[in-house]
Amino acid sequence: MSGEAEAFAGSGRMRLLYRLRVATREPTTLVGLAMAALFAYLIVVPIAAILLDAVTTQFGDERRTGTAAGGWTLYYLHRSLVSPIAGVMFWQPLWNTLSVAATTIGLAVILGTPMAWLVSRTDMLGRRWFATALIVPYMLPAWTFALAWTTLFKNRTVGGQQGWIEALGFSPPDWLAYGRLPITVILALHYTPFIILLFGNALRRFDSQLEDSARILGASRARIARSIVLPLMKPALISAIVLIFAKCLGEFGVAYVLGLPVKFEVLATSLYRNIGSRQTGVAGVLAGAIMLLGILTLLVDAWLLREARRFVTVGSKGAMDRLTRLGALRLPATGLAGLMFAASVGLPVLTLVLSTVMHVPARFTAANFTLDYWIGRDLDTVALRQGILLTPDFWRAAWNTLWIVGSASITSGLLGLLVGYTVVRTPVRPLAVFLRQVTFFPYLVPGIAFAAAYLSLFAVARGPLPALYGTMAILILALIADQMPYASRAGIAAMMQLGKEPEEAAQVAGSGWLHRMVRIVVPIQKGSLVTGVLLPFISGIKGLSLFVILAVPSTDVLTTWSLRLVDYDYTQAANAVVLMIAGLAYGGTLVAQRLTRTNLAEGLGG
Amino acid sequence: MPGIELRKVQKTYGAYRAVSGLDLAVRDGEFLCLLGPSGCGKTTTLRMIAGLENLSGGALTVGGRVMDAPAQAVFVPPERRGMGLVFQSYALWPHLTVAQNTEFGLRLRGVARPERQRRTTEVMQALGIEALRDRYPSQLSGGQQQRVALARMLVVNPEVLLLDEPLSNLDARLRLEMRAELKRLHQAFQTTIVFVTHDQWEAMTLADTIAVMNAGTLQQTGTPDEIYDRPANRFVAEFVGSPPINILEFAGSDALAAAARRHLADRHPGITGIGSLGIRPESIALGPGEAPAGAEGAFTAPARVTGILPTGGSWIVELDALGRTLFLNTHVAPQARIGEPLHLAVPDRALNVFDARGDRIAAADAALARAAA
């Protein structure tokens, strides 16, 4: 009897052994710990490193800061925020960033809300077609438009091929050709789809019984719109606005192409220039400022949404597709939408296409058309003496893009699913919380700041790692980290829906962990895995801000290579590459939507 | 077929005790139902037997082999226990067809293809799902899914089959059919089955043995008749039975309870410490007019009918006895009219006597049974 009692009590050592045995029987937690370490290294450490750069003396700055390299200093903060050049370096770019973002949002709301309404709640002609067509600007890289703009409006301020207007004999003023106005207009056109998607979606889901109730009580249509519909649409509108603001913070390409000629700087371009001139400490301050703004935006968003969601309504059977009859306004409304499409897609794309098949801008004679810039040989130029499709550099950049973006997307998609699995399954709650938060963190950090962080950390050999600058590895790692917020969210959402039981059933039937992952979990999650790989792949193909800091000529991807072409004023070649990127991104998005039957709006809403 | 033994089994989640001090033995080939309200620990117990949860204390042996014992640092993972488990949600793998779902376990065991196909087909035929072999789970009805879930487990001939409320998502008629099928399967395969349910009717009809649980502890184990006729405590008495048992509290100011107390004190002075009395609705008989004076071996009291509720083939009669409402259940159409003065009679052997803590006074049973003889 005493033996049995002892057997039940068990020694402390046995209990510990038992705990260990139970805890390690499933590798979930071990896998989770490994991932936590990986993400700490890929996400937390780089960000810490660049923030540290801002307050420690950089190599070569010892004389200025008065401390040894690596010592604490306020020099960079002082230089960026209060010194005589702080205005040029920080305050002016900050003001430009904020004011461009604000104007962009205003324009996008003005343009987007009527379009959202037309597309989702009226009997406008070609409504379904417009629903997709008006989203196209978002599928194209933003600086596609910037190149189209310069192609049209470039003046004598900069050299190279003339702009079309200039070629026609008019000289566009600087304010029209470069700087604030074109940047704002282009960003507004690019981000209007956010409003159309998010606001339109909310309008579509709006319960028309709510409108009916107000009508029965005698409210006029205007009154209903003002008192019922708009207040309920607030959360969707806020989401869209915050999203646009966050995107504008890190926007680099448009400001770079259109701002540089007139020295119109935003935070992202100032950061880029400081990195270019090896002002690592100041770059740290700027990256920190961009991150801080990003985090603040998200906090404001969370707060606003909490306020707004108090009265969020649940769609019921009343959420039917009842359309407003436009009557006599039907044709004008359709025309308006058509105009919007022409301005935001038709004109820019057409300009770019034409620019790549014409010798001299804006001269519409048969002799002026050529395919030389695509497939010509032995051209009469200083460099790039053959068409873009015959240039080895192009194919190398295309291959790099495919390889870098592809491997990063597949890795982050799989990691995302694994994060989802661990977060949902591990019994160790702190691990789940850490993984969820650390993978979300890059969302708060605009790509350009993140890239700067990578540069700061991996430019030199650290510990066992060799210096990664100039390798593909640094691009792949940065891209993986940058994509983790989307990948992990998709993974967590998918795993939440799966439930434990299919897996437990396999387990009882005799299936071990790896077998279950391969035979049960991944096959069931195939759909979300495809989405989790494809969507980041598309945004990676058209992404610029992350690559522009980390890529060197040998690791050029299509976007950075086309930017180099812009820098060298190879207008036609640059435009051709950008067109191909746009085509890839557009086609890829359509394929992704077709394959997974996902709605882009949901992918965006995040 | 192996028996299952749980000794002093504990399961705690932080401070919460899901299961405590559970001693339970399931014999070879026995069909045991774990019965209890939701949250009583019955599913946790099942999951511990399967190995999906580990024990916090105690020991679990299956077929004499220790499967889980913290004190001995033994834990056999679920994939190596060779059991079958059918979930309430069925948990079919949505990306596999009926046939693929069914043969999964055989594949895992490396059974050769011809043998695998033969056995898969055999089981699917036995369960009547052969025609559905190429369908996906989403194309099946609830009953069909349930059969696939069962086929998936039966195909590997598990020595122990665990069922977690497998019938609760089916409609009433299908549930009856599946119940008959389960009983048939059990007789054919002689598998040891542990079946979790909160449905007493299901437990009664299926089980060799019922184990009633509440708040993480075992209340009583016994055959369905034992559980119904001789509930070990107030909880079992009140949880099992519909309409529910009539309870007379001796502590309060209930006039009917006072009459019962006088009756017991007169006839059975040896029984002491009574806290309450339970009377099954079927035990109550009605008689015309005043109670016959000094009826032998039965408790009688004046009563009036206040309501008659037909339930199709049987009737629930609501009575007022000395100001107390009682329910009576009868399979004979009641003749009494509402308000008519009658008397009720309950044989002494049908009285369930509980002490102040609610436990059955087992010593009273013999005395009460003798009185009837």
Side-chain angles (χ1 to χ4, degrees):
Chain A
M1 187 63 218
S2 72
E4 180 155 304
E6 196 176 288
F8 275 112
S11 65
R13 201 172 58 82
M14 284 304 223
R15 297 233 148 219
L16 200 67
L17 193 63
Y18 178 80
R19 278 231 188 104
L20 205 66
R21 197 158 281 174
V22 170
T24 53
R25 117 191 126 85
E26 295 279 290
T28 310
T29 300
L30 285 178
V31 171
L33 285 172
M35 281 196 297
L38 177 73
F39 291 129
Y41 195 63
L42 288 185
I43 295 171
V44 179
V45 174
I47 288 172
I50 194 165
L51 292 179
L52 215 58
D53 279 352
V55 288
T56 51
T57 300
Q58 300 300 301
F59 178 77
D61 287 343
E62 294 89 342
R63 295 256 313 276
R64 291 186 218 162
T65 63
T67 56
W72 297 107
T73 179
L74 290 175
Y75 171 75
Y76 302 113
L77 280 168
H78 180 268
R79 184 172 163 83
S80 330
L81 302 180
V82 290
S83 77
I85 60 159
V88 186
M89 203 175 258
F90 181 79
W91 296 110
Q92 191 60 41
L94 175 68
W95 161 246
N96 288 346
T97 305
L98 295 178
S99 59
V100 163
T103 331
T104 298
I105 288 168
L107 261 176
V109 169
I110 291 169
L111 293 171
T113 45
M115 288 301 143
W117 179 70
L118 284 175
V119 162
S120 52
R121 300 280 288 199
T122 70
D123 65 345
M124 175 177 71
L125 293 169
R127 192 171 64 92
R128 275 176 203 289
W129 184 81
F130 277 117
T132 310
L134 291 176
I135 311 301
V136 172
Y138 176 65
M139 301 181 196
L140 311 177
W143 48 289
T144 311
F145 303 98
L147 292 191
W149 190 283
T150 40
T151 305
L152 285 176
F153 293 105
K154 192 167 168 188
N155 65 15
R156 288 159 200 223
T157 305
V158 290
Q161 200 186 32
Q162 289 179 309
W164 287 25
I165 309 280
E166 188 84 37
L168 290 172
F170 308 98
S171 192
D174 273 356
W175 60 262
L176 179 63
Y178 315 105
R180 179 184 301 276
L181 176 88
I183 292 174
T184 310
V185 169
I186 284 167
L187 290 180
L189 288 179
H190 182 61
Y191 290 124
T192 298
F194 279 18
I195 304 268
I196 299 179
L197 279 170
L198 296 176
F199 191 66
N201 244 19
L203 274 177
R204 216 164 326 191
R205 269 185 265 160
F206 188 78
D207 188 345
S208 57
Q209 286 177 354
L210 299 176
E211 286 173 275
D212 294 344
S213 313
R215 196 165 302 147
I216 287 166
L217 291 172
S220 68
R221 303 198 99 185
R223 181 67 201 248
I224 291 169
R226 200 173 64 241
S227 310
I228 310 286
V229 182
L230 281 182
L232 287 173
M233 291 296 105
K234 219 161 72 182
L237 206 56
I238 290 172
S239 290
I241 287 173
V242 169
L243 207 56
I244 295 176
F245 186 79
K247 294 260 176 188
C248 283
L249 279 184
E251 179 54 53
F252 170 76
V254 176
Y256 181 73
V257 172
L258 291 169
L260 206 59
V262 290
K263 302 202 167 43
F264 182 86
E265 298 266 14
V266 294
L267 286 176
T269 52
S270 180
L271 172 64
Y272 178 69
R273 291 210 317 162
N274 275 296
I275 285 174
S277 55
R278 305 204 184 280
Q279 293 284 333
T280 321
V282 176
V285 176
L286 285 167
I290 296 178
M291 287 182 212
L292 192 68
L293 279 172
I295 292 168
L296 280 179
T297 313
L298 262 285
L299 289 179
V300 168
D301 177 48
W303 181 74
L304 283 176
L305 282 187
R306 196 164 43 239
E307 292 294 298
R309 281 206 175 120
R310 280 193 195 142
F311 50 76
V312 94
T313 52
V314 179
S316 66
K317 63 177 179 176
M320 55 189 153
D321 226 2
R322 204 170 55 192
L323 306 177
T324 306
R325 294 188 180 285
L326 292 170
L329 289 173
R330 201 170 175 205
L331 273 181
T334 311
L336 198 67
L339 204 66
M340 180 78 190
F341 177 75
S344 63
V345 182
L347 187 65
V349 171
L350 192 68
T351 307
L352 289 180
V353 170
L354 285 177
S355 80
T356 64
V357 293
M358 289 164 80
H359 285 297
V360 180
R363 184 187 296 162
F364 295 93
T365 57
N368 194 34
F369 283 91
T370 175
L371 284 177
D372 278 355
Y373 300 117
W374 289 92
I375 51 170
R377 285 176 195 282
D378 301 321
L379 303 181
D380 181 22
T381 49
V382 182
L384 214 67
R385 296 172 62 93
Q386 63 285 314
I388 200 79
L389 292 179
L390 300 178
T391 307
D393 282 359
F394 167 75
W395 292 107
R396 199 179 58 198
W399 168 247
N400 282 352
T401 306
L402 212 64
W403 166 239
I404 291 171
V405 178
S407 54
S409 303
I410 290 170
T411 312
S412 59
L414 283 171
L415 280 175
L417 196 63
L418 217 50
V419 167
Y421 185 86
T422 313
V423 165
V424 175
R425 293 280 188 273
T426 181
V428 187
R429 292 328 290 167
L431 178 63
V433 171
F434 175 75
L435 273 178
R436 198 200 301 254
Q437 287 176 349
V438 79
T439 52
F440 181 70
F441 196 67
Y443 189 81
L444 308 176
V445 185
I448 195 141
F450 205 67
Y454 261 67
L455 192 65
S456 158
L457 185 66
F458 294 116
V460 294
R462 291 201 196 235
L465 271 186
L468 292 177
Y469 184 61
T471 66
M472 280 199 193
I474 194 171
L475 287 166
I476 295 176
L477 288 179
L479 199 55
I480 290 173
D482 195 47
Q483 290 172 345
M484 277 323 291
Y486 307 96
S488 68
R489 278 187 156 197
I492 291 170
M495 286 307 304
M496 292 278 219
Q497 281 174 354
L498 177 59
K500 275 207 281 210
E501 293 189 342
E503 218 190 314
E504 288 180 347
Q507 200 174 1
V508 173
S511 164
W513 189 81
L514 200 62
H515 186 266
R516 280 197 318 270
M517 286 305 281
V518 175
R519 287 297 163 81
I520 304 291
V521 178
V522 172
I524 292 179
Q525 302 292 17
K526 203 170 47 192
S528 73
L529 189 63
V530 170
T531 325
V533 171
L534 261 182
L535 290 182
F537 182 74
I538 293 157
S539 79
I541 280 182
K542 59 179 184 173
L544 172 65
S545 56
L546 191 69
F547 296 120
V548 75
I549 287 188
L550 295 175
V552 297
S554 69
T555 58
D556 256 342
V557 291
L558 285 173
T559 46
T560 52
W561 191 57
S562 71
L563 204 68
R564 272 182 230 283
L565 295 174
V566 171
D567 285 344
Y568 300 145
D569 265 317
Y570 292 141
T571 311
Q572 293 89 347
N575 289 357
V577 175
V578 166
L579 272 175
M580 281 189 277
I581 296 169
L584 270 177
Y586 174 70
T589 311
L590 290 192
V591 170
Q593 285 191 14
R594 191 68 42 90
L595 265 184
T596 60
R597 283 180 228 104
T598 45
N599 184 345
L600 193 65
E602 281 151 28
L604 274 181
Chain B
M1 295 297 144
I4 304 169
E5 201 187 350
L6 293 98
R7 278 183 299 160
K8 297 191 172 57
V9 165
Q10 303 249 9
K11 181 67 191 176
T12 51
Y13 297 99
Y16 176 69
R17 290 170 158 253
V19 173
S20 49
L22 181 64
D23 284 301
L24 184 66
V26 190
R27 292 189 314 274
D28 292 6
E30 188 177 22
F31 196 134
L32 177 109
C33 273
L34 279 174
L35 175 67
S38 51
C40 73
K42 56 190 192 299
T43 295
T44 306
T45 304
L46 191 81
R47 289 172 63 84
M48 286 193 288
I49 297 175
L52 295 171
E53 304 282 347
N54 64 299
L55 272 54
S56 305
L60 166 74
T61 49
V62 178
R65 180 176 168 214
V66 179
M67 289 289 179
D68 192 345
Q72 293 160 257
V74 175
F75 181 81
V76 179
E79 57 266 31
R80 283 196 261 125
R81 291 193 185 186
M83 298 181 176
L85 171 59
V86 177
F87 290 86
Q88 182 172 5
S89 66
Y90 314 140
L92 298 180
W93 300 303
H95 62 300
L96 303 179
T97 62
V98 168
Q100 287 168 336
N101 260 287
T102 309
E103 68 171 5
F104 184 88
L106 293 177
R107 264 175 185 276
L108 263 174
R109 284 163 180 71
V111 177
R113 193 180 157 89
E115 167 76 356
R116 204 165 70 211
Q117 285 179 336
R118 189 184 61 74
R119 279 167 70 179
T120 308
T121 308
E122 202 177 277
V123 169
M124 288 195 297
Q125 274 166 352
L127 285 164
I129 49 171
E130 162 67 6
L132 310 170
R133 57 177 307 137
D134 294 322
R135 296 227 199 140
Y136 285 93
S138 58
Q139 299 167 305
L140 303 179
S141 71
Q144 290 166 338
Q145 288 186 20
Q146 212 274 336
R147 280 160 209 259
V148 179
L150 212 53
R152 184 170 73 177
M153 291 301 156
L154 287 176
V155 74
V156 294
N157 277 327
E159 296 177 321
V160 174
L161 185 57
L162 308 171
L163 301 150
D164 187 5
E165 309 218 12
L167 307 181
S168 60
N169 291 341
L170 304 179
D171 65 43
R173 189 188 160 73
L174 209 54
R175 206 181 305 176
L176 196 65
E177 282 176 20
M178 285 310 298
R179 230 181 263 159
E181 188 144 326
L182 271 179
K183 201 140 191 173
R184 193 172 55 71
L185 284 169
H186 177 239
Q187 274 149 13
F189 289 88
Q190 286 299 309
T191 308
T192 307
I193 293 182
V194 180
F195 185 107
V196 160
T197 182
H198 67 269
D199 183 341
Q200 41 161 314
W201 173 240
E202 205 160 270
M204 291 281 173
T205 49
L206 283 171
D208 298 328
T209 306
I210 294 177
V212 183
M213 290 185 71
N214 184 40
T217 55
L218 184 65
Q219 305 293 313
Q220 183 176 6
T221 39
T223 65
D225 288 343
E226 281 168 356
I227 298 285
Y228 191 80
D229 294 334
R230 297 160 67 85
N233 56 35
R234 282 276 298 274
F235 174 79
V236 177
E238 290 178 73
F239 184 73
V240 177
S242 171
I245 196 165
N246 298 290
I247 296 286
L248 303 182
E249 296 280 3
F250 279 23
S253 57
D254 183 343
L256 187 66
R261 185 164 49 195
R262 281 195 302 277
H263 168 75
L264 285 173
D266 283 355
R267 303 284 170 175
H268 305 283
I271 307 174
T272 54
I274 304 175
S276 58
L277 204 58
I279 303 169
R280 289 281 177 206
E282 297 81 1
S283 313
I284 305 174
L286 286 178
E290 286 289 306
E296 265 308 308
F299 164 58
T300 60
R304 277 180 313 114
V305 174
T306 51
I308 297 174
L309 293 73
T311 58
S314 66
W315 290 260
I316 296 170
V317 180
E318 190 190 31
L319 298 175
D320 179 291
L322 300 176
R324 221 343 259 277
T325 301
L326 295 181
F327 288 101
L328 176 162
N329 197 15
T330 172
H331 294 274
V332 182
Q335 301 300 315
R337 283 192 308 277
I338 291 192
E340 189 181 347
L342 300 166
H343 78 270
L344 63 82
V346 183
D348 284 354
R349 67 183 140 74
L351 295 176
N352 294 283
V353 188
F354 302 109
D355 64 18
R357 283 184 17 238
D359 289 330
R360 185 178 197 87
I361 305 178
D365 290 341
L368 290 167
R370 257 199 314 280

